[in-house]
Amino acid sequence: MNSVPGASKILVGLQGEDSFWLKLDGDVRVPWCVSLESYCEAVIKQIGIKSVYVDLVGATNLDSTTLGVLAKVAVYTQQYCHQQAVLFCANEDIERLIISMGFSAVFDIQEGFGDIRLNFKDLPILDCTEAEVKEVVIAAHKALMELTEDNRACFGGLVESLEQTRS
């Protein structure tokens, strides 16, 4: 499964040697999630990474799986960097969405940032199996369910259904 909507991309970069930046642009959906989760987890667990920044300024839409992976990024940041990840969002619709999902509990949400010049690189999309995608979708929705009771009610049925159809 490696088709990616043409109107989306994910960029990654380091500021100095200790600040990891993740930039999501466009309509970011499920096909990105295996790449997004595996890359972010590997980088955040590296010794020396002290802060994580998530730039959603150019994002136009994020599906629930992407939101769940971002929740996991926030958890990894708290666990390995011992502080909250910073999330930048300028789109009112996306801001409403992330706040309704409980992101203010795990992210320091800010509207914008100064002139940051990083050498971002494109995150490649990993070729993965349907089973690998399903596992990331399940884990992402479980991460969302941990944030709020509303999320638990909203995604519980989906997670239960997907778990029953594991291969």
Side-chain angles (χ1 to χ4, degrees):
M1 176 172 208
N2 62 2
S3 62
V4 177
S8 65
K9 64 181 173 178
I10 297 178
L11 301 166
V12 293
L14 286 176
Q15 183 180 17
E17 295 180 6
D18 61 357
S19 297
F20 172 57
W21 281 77
L22 176 63
K23 181 177 178 64
L24 283 67
D25 284 333
D27 184 4
V28 183
R29 296 182 175 267
V30 167
W32 282 107
C33 291
V34 172
S35 300
L36 181 61
E37 181 175 3
S38 61
Y39 186 84
C40 289
E41 181 180 8
V43 170
I44 294 167
K45 285 182 175 180
Q46 288 180 26
I47 294 173
I49 297 296
K50 296 179 181 164
S51 53
V52 175
Y53 299 92
V54 178
D55 176 357
L56 299 181
V57 172
T60 57
N61 186 53
L62 306 169
D63 69 6
S64 59
T65 303
T66 302
L67 291 168
V69 171
L70 291 177
K72 290 183 76 173
V73 166
V75 170
Y76 296 147
T77 303
Q78 289 176 337
Q79 187 176 3
Y80 294 98
C81 303
H82 310 290
Q83 65 178 333
Q84 278 193 325
V86 178
L87 186 144
F88 298 102
C89 181
N91 179 314
E92 289 180 15
D93 293 332
I94 300 234
E95 184 176 8
R96 257 191 310 278
L97 176 65
I98 62 176
I99 288 176
S100 74
M101 289 287 152
F103 274 34
S104 56
V106 292
F107 280 103
D108 174 8
I109 301 171
Q110 299 183 15
E111 283 188 23
F113 50 92
D115 188 23
I116 305 290
R117 296 187 190 268
L118 297 175
N119 290 323
F120 282 106
K121 65 179 184 175
D122 287 323
L123 181 69
I125 187 104
L126 296 176
D127 207 12
C128 51
T129 66
E130 186 176 327
E132 290 169 320
V133 171
K134 186 181 286 187
E135 289 305 313
V136 168
V137 170
I138 290 169
H141 286 85
K142 283 183 173 181
L144 286 176
M145 289 169 60
E146 292 291 317
L147 296 180
T148 70
E149 285 301 317
D150 286 346
N151 290 355
R152 189 179 320 281
C154 185
F155 299 119
L158 171 67
V159 168
E160 186 177 315
S161 174
L162 288 172
E163 286 180 329
Q164 290 174 355
T165 62
R166 280 183 167 140
S167 37

